[in-house]
Each structure stands twice: as structure tokens, then as C-alpha cells.
């Protein structure tokens, strides 16, 4: 085969200097047919090795028969079925070529987002336990939100996956930004839309902000791929090598890392840093309403004699003077507030531990006083009954006598204890 340098020289001598084929063959000491071949080709010569057979050729019909019935059968299983005893690499190379004929091709489109259009939300479960007090440590969820246009990330650790806590976390992150996008995308998280429809509290939250919550289709993580990649980034870049002594410490470290690292890195898909695109995203977002949306865990119960209310497995004391009355219990991420007719009757710091009992000393002291007063009134009432005077029909008073007096009067004895017990 002629070399590229000779091909180029032949064309130069013939076209630039006007030499004949014979003269060129004489100067370069090559045959005239080689010169003719070089002049007839417009492209430089390229060496191509003649195709050689592969060990897979003999078994390809059997491989195709298996793929026709089971398109996603692993290469290791195919090798076992056909009795393959050679290198698995060459079999896998052939499978990469022919498998798409049976599985089909699922191309992924490049999705673009307009400023202020969308925020994707998801829960990330870091593989670490956090001390939460009372000698307990828990693996807690982290709410992660990724803005579509700027790729701006934000996140906060939550005490539970209940609807109220999810909404509290969303509001905390949205309030930090100062505006909200026109759409919030969630998967079918139980607290947001586990049944395929947005829950009533989540709908009320979105309605107050004038935004929309859209649920992703079932089993389609690519629908919210931005936040899924954000979760992976947190897992590999934020979590390794860190220790946390409380949920508050985790949130402090996470907020600092998001500010210094995550939102200042260059994102390949948008060829820019999230912090540089944030202003454009922010300008197109919706302003926040003048009132806060309904968030937190809320319940209305009648306060029982135990004067405790339960919030997420923990019991919190309430002023016992309101026993028997209806009370409203509201739990944010950090605080438990109890109201009765608009009056605050209890306030506690929220415990993230399980099965805890949180008692206000003032409530316990009030309960002790009320209990003492109750028994005093009860004893006084009993004494008044013993001294009670009954009025006769004609107006004169009749003193009530004790029943044993009547037994003595009639000479009867109702003592059931026998005097003599036979042996």
C-alpha cells in the first residue's frame, strides 16, 4: 500500500510541476500503476485491516434467540446458557452491538428550563446517625431543593417525613431565597402526594404561595434528575469525613458548605456557577405573599386528665387548668405551641428523640396544687354530708343519724364475721 507521503508527492509532481506518469514513477522508483492509482484517488490512502472472524460468530444465532425472548438477559447468564468457555469480554462487546435491536433505544432529551420556572424537591437520607438527645441517635431525612434554571441547591434536615414537617422545611428554604418558582416538583412522597393526588395541606401551602405542586410519574426518577444528581453530589462531596453532634450542627455545616462550595462550583450542563445565574432566576420568580402559608403539625384535641399532648411519639405537658377544654397543638421544626381560645398555654422546644416525655415544672407544680385542692374539697364535701341536716315537710329540721344507731335501736347485728369458726 502506498504511503501518505508518496501519495501527496505524486499529486504535487503531476499537478504542480506537470510531470508525466512515467517520469513520476522513475523519480519515486514506484510502478506506473501505483502512480495512476494515487492520481485517481481524491483522498489519502488509509490502511484497513481485513475483517477477521470472531469466536462469537459461531454462537451468535443462539445469542440472538435468547435475546429475542429475554432482551435484558445479563451477559453472564447468556454465557452460561450457550456454554461459553472463552473470554467474557468479547461476548459482552458483541452483546453491546446487537442488544439494542431487541431492547430498543431510549434517547434522553436535553431539558432546558426558563428562569423562575421550576424547583425540584426530594428527600435525601444520609447514611449517618445524628445524636438527637436523650441518649438516642437517629437517621433523619434531609429536604433538598434544586432550582431548574440556576441549579441553585438548598437543603435542611427534618425530624420526620410527615406532611407538616415537609411543608415547614419547604417554607424555611423558600423564605431564605425570598421568592418561589412557578412550580414545585415532587415525587409521590406520602406526605405530599402518595395517592397520586396532592394532599390537602400541600395544596393549601401551594395555593397560599400562588405556585403549583406537580407530582412525578411513578418509577421515573429521571423526571426530577436535577435534584437526584444533587442528592448524589451531597452524598459524595459533603458527607464523607464529617461528624455531627446534633441536627442543628448538621444544618449549620450543610448551609455553610452549600454557600461556599455547592453553589459556587461550575456546573457543566449550564456552563456557569449557580450563584452567577441566581439573580436572573430570582427576578423571574413569584414574590412571597404577605401571610405565611399553613405549615407544621397541627391538631385539635380535648385535654385529658393527664394534661399531656403527643406530637410525633413525644409527650409534652400543658397547663392542667385547661383540662377538659379543646386545645390547638402546633409543631414547627423547633417548637411546640399549645393554644386555647387563642391563648398560649404551653410552649416547648421540640424534641427529635423518640418516646420522650417533656414536662414544664410550672405545669407539674400547678397540677400538684390542683390535685391537693381537689382532695381538700372532696374531704370537706364528705364532712358536710356527715353533718347534713334534713328539713321535714312541715318545716322543722331533722338531724340525720348514722345507720348503726338504728341497728342498736332494733337490737340487730349485721356483722357478717362469724364468732366461732369450727375446727
Amino acid at each position: 500500500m502506498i504511503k501518505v507521503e508518496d501519495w501527496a508527492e505524486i499529486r504535487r509532481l503531476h499537478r504542480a510541476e506537470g510531470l508525466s506518469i512515467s517520469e513520476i514513477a522513475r523519480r519515486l522508483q514506484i510502478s506506473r500503476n501505483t502512480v495512476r492509482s494515487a492520481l485517481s484517488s481524491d483522498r489519502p490512502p488509509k490502511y484497513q485491516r481485513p475483517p477477521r472472524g470472531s469466536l462469537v460468530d459461531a454462537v451468535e444465532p443462539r445469542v440472538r434467540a435468547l435475546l429475542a425472548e429475554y432482551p435484558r438477559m445479563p451477559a453472564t447468564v447468556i454465557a452460561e446458557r450457550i456454554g461459553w468457555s472463552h473470554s467474557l469480554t468479547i461476548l459482552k462487546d458483541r452483546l453491546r452491538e446487537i442488544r439494542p435491536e431487541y431492547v430498543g433505544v431510549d434517547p434522553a432529551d436535553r431539558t432546558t428550563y426558563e428562569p423562575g420556572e421550576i424547583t425540584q424537591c426530594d428527600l435525601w437520607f444520609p447514611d449517618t446517625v445524628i445524636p438527637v438527645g436523650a441518649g438516642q441517635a437517629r437517621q433523619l431525612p434531609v429536604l433538598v431543593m434544586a432550582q431548574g434554571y440556576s441549579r441553585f441547591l438548598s437543603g435542611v434536615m427534618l425530624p420526620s417525613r410527615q406532611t407538616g414537617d415537609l411543608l415547614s422545611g419547604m417554607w424555611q428554604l423558600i423564605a431564605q431565597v425570598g421568592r418561589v418558582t412557578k412550580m414545585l416538583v415532587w415525587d409521590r412522597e406520602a406526605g405530599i402526594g402518595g395517592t397520586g393526588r396532592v394532599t390537602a395541606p400541600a395544596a393549601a401551602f401551594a395555593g397560599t404561595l400562588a405556585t403549583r405542586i406537580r407530582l412525578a410519574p411513578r418509577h421515573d426518577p429521571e423526571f426530577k434528575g436535577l435534584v437526584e444528581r444533587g442528592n448524589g453530589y451531597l452524598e459524595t462531596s459533603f458527607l464523607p469525613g464529617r461528624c455531627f453532634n446534633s441536627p442543628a450542627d448538621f444544618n449549620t455545616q450543610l448551609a455553610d458548605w452549600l454557600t461556599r462550595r455547592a453553589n459556587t462550583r461550575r456546573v457543566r450542563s449550564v456552563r456557569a456557577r449557580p450563584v452567577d445565574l441566581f439573580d436572573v432566576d430570582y427576578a423571574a420568580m413569584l414574590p412571597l405573599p404577605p401571610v405565611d402559608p399553613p405549615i407544621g403539625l397541627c391538631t385539635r384535641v380535648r385535654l385529658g386528665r393527664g394534661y399531656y399532648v403527643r406530637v410525633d411519639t413525644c409527650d409534652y405537658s400543658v397547663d392542667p387548668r385547661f383540662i377538659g377544654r379543646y386545645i390547638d397543638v402546633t409543631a414547627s421544626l423547633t417548637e411546640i405551641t399549645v393554644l386555647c381560645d387563642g391563648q398560649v398555654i404551653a410552649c416547648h422546644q421540640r424534641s427529635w428523640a423518640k418516646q420522650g416525655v417533656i414536662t414544664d415544672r410550672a405545669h407539674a407544680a400547678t397540677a400538684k396544687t390542683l390535685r391537693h385542692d381537689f382532695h381538700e374539697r372532696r374531704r370537706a364535701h364528705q364532712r358536710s354530708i356527715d353533718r347534713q341536716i334534713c328539713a321535714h315537710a312541715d318545716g322543722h329540721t331533722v338531724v340525720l343519724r348514722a345507720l348503726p344507731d338504728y341497728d342498736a335501736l332494733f337490737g340487730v347485728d349485721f356483722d357478717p364475721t362469724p364468732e366461732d369458726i369450727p375446727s
Side-chain angles (χ1 to χ4, degrees):
M1 181 179 180
I2 189 173
K3 297 180 180 179
V4 176
E5 299 83 19
D6 293 339
W7 174 84
E9 182 66 10
I10 291 171
R11 294 175 64 83
R12 186 189 70 81
L13 292 173
H14 182 70
R15 296 194 176 189
E17 298 187 13
L19 298 182
S20 65
I21 294 177
S22 299
E23 181 61 22
I24 294 173
R26 186 186 65 79
R27 286 193 181 188
L28 300 181
Q29 297 182 352
I30 57 177
S31 69
R32 287 175 292 180
N33 288 337
T34 302
V35 175
R36 292 189 185 95
S37 176
L39 293 176
S40 63
S41 175
D42 294 332
R43 297 183 179 276
K46 182 178 180 181
Y47 173 74
Q48 292 183 343
R49 178 177 295 178
R52 297 174 56 187
S54 171
L55 291 172
V56 187
D57 293 340
V59 296
E60 182 173 334
R62 297 173 59 189
V63 172
R64 288 183 175 274
L66 291 174
L67 291 178
E69 189 172 0
Y70 305 102
R72 299 187 181 277
M73 180 178 289
T76 53
V77 179
I78 292 177
E80 180 183 356
R81 296 291 177 84
I82 66 177
W84 184 257
S85 59
H86 306 285
S87 171
L88 193 61
T89 301
I90 58 176
L91 178 62
K92 288 183 176 180
D93 291 342
R94 182 63 60 88
L95 284 172
R96 291 191 190 97
E97 297 177 5
I98 64 177
R99 193 188 294 273
E101 300 177 19
Y102 301 92
V103 176
V105 179
D106 181 21
D109 292 333
R110 177 64 60 87
T111 304
T112 58
Y113 301 99
E114 296 296 326
E117 177 186 2
I118 193 171
T119 297
Q120 296 183 3
C121 312
D122 194 23
L123 290 181
W124 168 49
F125 297 90
D127 189 19
T128 183
V129 291
I130 308 294
V132 292
Q136 299 182 29
R138 297 177 56 194
Q139 185 176 2
L140 297 166
V142 177
L143 172 63
V144 181
M145 299 177 69
Q147 296 177 16
Y149 177 77
S150 63
R151 305 301 200 267
F152 191 87
L153 282 177
S154 56
V156 62
M157 178 168 279
L158 304 177
S160 77
R161 299 168 64 179
Q162 299 182 70
T163 302
D165 287 338
L166 296 177
L167 299 181
S168 295
M170 291 171 65
W171 176 240
Q172 178 175 325
L173 298 181
I174 290 172
Q176 289 174 1
V177 171
R179 289 196 168 194
V180 63
T181 54
K182 300 176 180 66
M183 182 184 299
L184 304 173
V185 176
W186 269 94
D187 57 13
R188 302 198 176 193
E189 178 66 31
I192 300 296
T195 62
R197 298 182 60 183
V198 178
T199 61
F205 175 87
T208 305
L209 299 180
T211 186
R212 172 192 175 196
I213 294 180
R214 183 178 179 183
L215 301 179
R218 289 184 180 276
H219 313 300
D220 188 5
E222 293 181 353
F223 191 83
K224 50 183 184 63
L226 290 181
V227 71
E228 293 285 356
R229 287 191 291 273
N231 290 349
Y233 181 49
L234 290 167
E235 189 75 37
T236 58
S237 300
F238 167 72
L239 196 60
R242 292 181 181 267
C243 297
F244 311 99
N245 54 40
S246 68
D249 180 41
F250 181 96
N251 284 330
T252 299
Q253 293 190 44
L254 177 60
D256 178 68
W257 181 82
L258 289 171
T259 301
R260 291 188 303 102
R261 180 72 183 95
N263 291 321
T264 57
R265 79 195 194 283
R266 183 177 178 84
V267 180
R268 182 179 60 85
S269 59
V270 293
R271 301 179 180 87
R273 302 187 307 166
V275 69
D276 296 333
L277 300 177
F278 177 76
D279 290 340
V280 178
D281 215 359
Y282 180 87
M285 293 182 190
L286 302 172
L288 299 183
V291 296
D292 293 349
I295 58 174
L297 305 176
C298 302
T299 183
R300 181 176 176 84
V301 297
R302 189 190 294 271
L303 185 61
R305 284 186 59 202
Y307 68 91
Y308 280 80
V309 293
R310 178 161 296 178
V311 178
D312 191 25
T313 77
C314 289
D315 294 334
Y316 300 86
S317 66
V318 180
D319 191 334
R321 292 175 297 177
F322 294 87
I323 289 176
R325 299 177 63 179
Y326 278 102
I327 57 174
D328 297 298
V329 184
T330 302
S332 68
L333 299 180
T334 58
E335 192 176 58
I336 305 294
T337 306
V338 184
L339 298 94
C340 182
D341 295 333
Q343 176 186 355
V344 177
I345 59 175
C347 189
H348 297 274
Q349 183 178 357
R350 182 171 178 179
S351 172
W352 287 27
K354 291 288 188 180
Q355 287 81 39
V357 178
I358 295 87
T359 303
D360 189 325
R361 292 183 178 180
H363 297 162
T366 302
K368 183 177 180 180
T369 301
L370 293 175
R371 192 179 305 110
H372 179 269
D373 294 345
F374 175 80
H375 288 293
E376 283 296 322
R377 288 195 302 270
R378 189 172 183 179
R379 284 191 289 269
H381 179 68
Q382 184 62 41
R383 288 193 296 268
S384 67
I385 291 178
D386 294 341
R387 296 192 303 268
Q388 186 176 4
I389 298 177
C390 180
H392 196 270
D394 59 5
H396 71 276
T397 59
V398 179
V399 178
L400 298 179
R401 302 184 66 115
L403 292 179
D405 293 345
Y406 294 98
D407 297 340
L409 179 63
F410 292 100
V412 296
D413 184 8
F414 290 99
D415 184 2
T417 306
E419 297 180 0
D420 299 326
I421 301 178
S423 59

